[in-house]
Amino acid sequence: MWIFWVLFFIAAMLLVFWMLRIERVRLATHVKECREAAARMGVAYEYDAPDTLVAKIKGFDLTYSDGDRLRNGIRDVFSRTSSTENLYLFLHQHHGSMPGAVGGMGHRETVGCLVSKRLRLPRFRLSPERPIEKIASMFGAQDVDFDSHPAFSRSYFLNTNDETAVRGLFDPTVLGFFDRHPGFHVEGNDDTLVIYQFNKSLSVTELPEFLETAKQISDLFKR
């Protein structure tokens, strides 16, 4: 009988070592693909999250329940930096850490983040108006609507602590863009803007298009 257990232990250890080897190969291949994609896009790539990015997005609604685990939930950071701004694309993995998300369920988003001296934003959160936002509005949650753009007001939930500033920020150009592009989540505060679509993660080949979209949305809010 003891021979059986010795053989079982050896087989189990060999299986573990084999699985670890497969994972190392998979990760090395993934990092190689990401570096090649970064080179094509003319941006830098890091597998782990840099301190500057973690500091900037901590406290946004997207990451509010991640707490000290935030760094562990960020991978594959593509970045373009200049003297005036930093633009990031990254994968955020979390469990129920969005308003309206089901606690415990895993979610993954590819997120764009711009940190720029040309952004002077009031704190706001723009999201598609789902049933949970409609219910929240019924119970008094603020939703800034615009009579001039009823389609935007039907499609999006816009919450802020400074309605006057947000009404000035969401001018006809901004409202018209989101009229034509439903489904985005956008959060802003001071010099930082984050852009994503809930539970939508992109392949490496889709990143260049999202980079252009993130730049286009960011430019709408620059002043």
Side-chain angles (χ1 to χ4, degrees):
M1 178 63 70
W2 66 269
I3 296 178
F4 168 80
W5 288 111
V6 169
L7 292 174
F8 177 81
F9 176 76
I10 293 172
M13 293 302 295
L14 289 173
L15 178 61
V16 169
F17 287 134
W18 178 250
M19 292 176 65
L20 289 174
R21 178 176 175 78
I22 291 175
E23 178 59 22
R24 284 197 297 269
V25 171
R26 185 205 65 79
L27 179 58
T29 301
H30 172 75
V31 169
K32 181 175 180 291
E33 290 175 350
C34 288
R35 286 176 175 160
E36 291 172 349
R40 290 193 297 269
M41 291 189 291
V43 300
Y45 170 76
E46 298 176 76
Y47 180 70
D48 294 311
D51 293 340
T52 50
L53 173 60
V54 173
K56 282 297 181 181
I57 66 171
K58 189 173 184 179
F60 277 87
D61 284 348
L62 173 66
T63 61
Y64 79 101
S65 72
D66 288 354
D68 293 335
R69 301 184 305 275
L70 175 58
R71 184 183 305 278
N72 297 330
I74 299 174
R75 290 290 182 268
D76 295 331
V77 182
F78 297 80
S79 61
R80 177 179 292 164
T81 62
S82 71
S83 59
T84 59
E85 64 182 39
N86 297 334
L87 177 63
Y88 303 94
L89 299 183
F90 60 90
L91 178 67
H92 177 231
Q93 304 177 87
H94 57 110
H95 289 81
S97 62
M98 278 191 59
V102 177
M105 291 186 63
H107 302 288
R108 295 159 55 96
E109 290 91 23
T110 299
V111 181
C113 174
L114 179 72
V115 181
S116 173
K117 294 179 180 178
R118 294 181 60 192
L119 292 175
R120 295 184 294 276
L121 303 172
R123 188 173 186 87
F124 73 87
R125 177 171 67 90
L126 177 72
S127 63
E129 191 158 307
R130 303 164 297 178
I132 191 166
E133 279 84 16
K134 293 181 185 294
I135 293 172
S137 296
M138 292 172 57
F139 284 90
Q142 181 197 43
D143 180 14
V144 180
D145 290 328
F146 294 81
D147 294 338
S148 60
H149 288 75
F152 171 88
S153 297
R154 286 193 302 269
S155 300
Y156 279 102
F157 178 84
L158 178 56
N159 183 261
T160 180
N161 59 5
D162 190 342
E163 181 174 347
T164 300
V166 159
R167 287 192 177 278
L169 183 66
F170 279 75
D171 61 22
T173 300
V174 176
L175 294 170
F177 176 89
F178 289 108
D179 265 349
R180 299 186 301 273
H181 300 86
F184 280 99
H185 292 251
V186 181
E187 298 182 48
N189 187 37
D190 195 24
D191 64 352
T192 305
L193 188 76
V194 295
I195 303 155
Y196 50 96
Q197 291 179 285
F198 178 58
N199 207 25
K200 183 176 181 179
S201 58
L202 304 177
S203 67
V204 171
T205 58
E206 295 173 302
L207 289 178
E209 182 179 355
F210 182 63
L211 177 65
E212 293 304 314
T213 300
K215 288 167 57 181
Q216 185 179 7
I217 293 175
S218 299
D219 287 344
L220 294 172
F221 293 98
K222 289 179 180 178
R223 295 294 183 266

